[in-house]
């Protein structure tokens, strides 16, 4: 059944020129729930599922499609237009061992620097780090507000970006947490939230590290690194998920914490109509 493979989502498409976003378009979408670890490296394998485009959706998203090489960027079919991103590594952590064993993946210098950052933040906090996990409906209501506060002081928003609240809809978070598929983590200093991580899951195998930010005023104390360390320690102890997926992207913390990586692309299947045809063709010309 279609509903078993895809779920409703909201996506933001930002056409760019010379590497800079021109504007932002909001689309009603559906996202493939099958984790990338279960997909082949043939980008065409998902296409037969879209012979009939989903009702009430303009875009269908395969957020992580493994590939052996760069697929064609733009493909037109009778009912949809396939747009493919550049190949990027999908970084993830295998949670199948213990946390002490996981720490052995770092070389001596990396491990020393990581533990030193945790120690430094502990000293800043008066000898005890305060942080919290959120996974009930009431808790996630609180988490959402805390995450939005942190985001306002992060580079995401100070640099002109949309930030957490405009990227992750509150109603989506609350709908997912009711199904046990969303959770949050917040790091505090003197009662103030200084870093957060929002995660979601499509099943009990993979938890996806979906959005994170930290207060730029605490940059020297690496609050994002500290919170990732604490979250991973908790996930290894919990032993619910097999993998923590850091998603697509080249941010250095992903490669640092990951145990594995896989080359992937993000694939967007747009409903074929005049608006989307013009938008995607123009974007392709601007990017060439």
């Amino acid at each position: 059944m279609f509903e078993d493979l895809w779920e409703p989502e909201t996506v933001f498409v930002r056409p760019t020129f010379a590497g800079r976003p021109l504007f932002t378009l909001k689309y009603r979408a559906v996202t493939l729930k099958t984790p990338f670890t279960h997909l082949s490296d043939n980008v065409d394998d998902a296409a037969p599922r879209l012979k009939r485009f989903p009702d009430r959706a303009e875009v269908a998203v395969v957020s992580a499609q493994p590939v052996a090489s760069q697929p064609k960027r733009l493909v037109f079919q009778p009912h949809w237009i396939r747009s493919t991103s550049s190949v990027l590594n999908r970084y993830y952590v295998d949670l199948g061992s213990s946390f002490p064993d996981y720490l052995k993946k770092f070389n001596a210098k990396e491990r020393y620097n990581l533990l030193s950052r945790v120690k430094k933040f502990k000293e800043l906090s008066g000898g005890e780090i305060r942080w919290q996990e959120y996974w009930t409906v009431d808790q996630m209501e609180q988490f959402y507000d805390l995450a939005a506060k942190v985001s306002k002081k992060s580079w995401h928003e100070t640099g002109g970006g949309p930030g957490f609240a405009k990227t992750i809809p509150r109603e989506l978070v609350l709908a997912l947490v009711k199904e046990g598929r969303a959770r949050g983590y917040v790091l505090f200093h003197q009662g103030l939230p200084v870093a957060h991580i929002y995660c979601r899951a499509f099943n009990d195998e993979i938890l996806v590290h979906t959005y994170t930010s930290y207060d730029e005023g605490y940059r020297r104390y690496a609050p994002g690194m500290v919170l990732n360390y604490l979250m991973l320690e908790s996930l290894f102890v919990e032993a619910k998920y097999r993998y923590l997926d850091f998603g697509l992207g080249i941010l250095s913390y992903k490669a640092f914490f990951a145990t594995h990586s896989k080359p992937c692309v993000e694939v967007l299947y747009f409903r074929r109509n005049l608006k989307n045809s013009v938008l995607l063709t123009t974007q392709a010309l601007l990017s060439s």
Side-chain angles (χ1 to χ4, degrees), residues 138-157:
D138 290 342
Q139 288 174 346
M140 286 302 282
E141 283 273 18
Q142 181 186 11
F143 166 80
Y144 194 94
D145 293 334
L146 293 169
K149 287 181 181 179
V150 174
S151 180
K152 289 182 183 300
K153 298 180 180 181
S154 74
W155 65 266
H156 296 276
E157 294 195 47

Side-chain angles (χ1 to χ4, degrees), residues 13-23 279 282-287:
V13 177
R14 299 179 178 88
T16 61
F17 177 66
R20 297 190 176 188
L22 299 174
F23 50 86
L279 171 69
T282 302
Q283 175 62 42
L285 290 172
L286 290 174
S287 302

Side-chain angles (χ1 to χ4, degrees), residues 118-133:
V118 175
K119 180 180 178 182
K120 187 175 182 180
F121 197 89
K122 186 175 182 179
E123 292 170 349
L124 177 72
S125 303
E128 182 177 356
I129 296 178
R130 186 192 162 201
W131 70 289
Q132 188 169 337
E133 301 173 84

Side-chain angles (χ1 to χ4, degrees), residues 94-190:
D94 187 335
L95 300 169
S97 61
S98 67
F99 188 63
D101 284 340
Y102 164 73
L103 291 178
K104 294 176 184 177
K105 81 128 191 139
F106 300 102
N107 63 41
K109 182 178 180 181
E110 291 172 336
R111 189 163 52 251
Y112 173 81
N113 288 337
L114 176 59
L115 296 177
S116 292
R117 285 168 174 163
V118 175
K119 180 180 178 182
K120 187 175 182 180
F121 197 89
K122 186 175 182 179
E123 292 170 349
L124 177 72
S125 303
E128 182 177 356
I129 296 178
R130 186 192 162 201
W131 70 289
Q132 188 169 337
E133 301 173 84
Y134 302 79
W135 46 31
T136 69
V137 173
D138 290 342
Q139 288 174 346
M140 286 302 282
E141 283 273 18
Q142 181 186 11
F143 166 80
Y144 194 94
D145 293 334
L146 293 169
K149 287 181 181 179
V150 174
S151 180
K152 289 182 183 300
K153 298 180 180 181
S154 74
W155 65 266
H156 296 276
E157 294 195 47
T158 58
F164 177 77
K166 291 184 179 179
T167 302
I168 310 292
R170 184 189 291 266
E171 58 271 21
L172 173 63
V173 172
L174 296 181
L176 290 174
V177 76
K178 287 177 182 177
E179 300 173 3
R181 299 197 297 117
R183 58 173 64 189
Y185 302 84
V186 176
L187 179 68
F188 295 89
H189 177 248
Q190 295 183 347

Side-chain angles (χ1 to χ4, degrees), residues 233-244:
E233 183 177 28
S234 175
L235 288 173
F236 272 99
V237 172
E238 181 185 0
K240 176 179 179 179
Y241 297 99
R242 178 56 193 268
Y243 302 109
L244 175 68

Side-chain angles (χ1 to χ4, degrees), residues 2-51:
F2 172 83
E3 292 78 8
D4 295 331
L5 296 174
W6 305 81
E7 69 177 9
E9 181 71 279
T10 299
V11 299
F12 296 87
V13 177
R14 299 179 178 88
T16 61
F17 177 66
R20 297 190 176 188
L22 299 174
F23 50 86
T24 299
L25 295 173
K26 182 179 179 180
Y27 280 94
R28 181 178 292 175
V30 289
T31 299
L32 183 67
K33 294 194 287 186
T34 307
F36 71 93
T37 51
H38 291 250
L39 297 177
S40 77
D41 62 3
N42 184 353
V43 72
D44 292 319
D45 282 352
R49 303 170 185 172
L50 294 172
K51 287 180 179 178

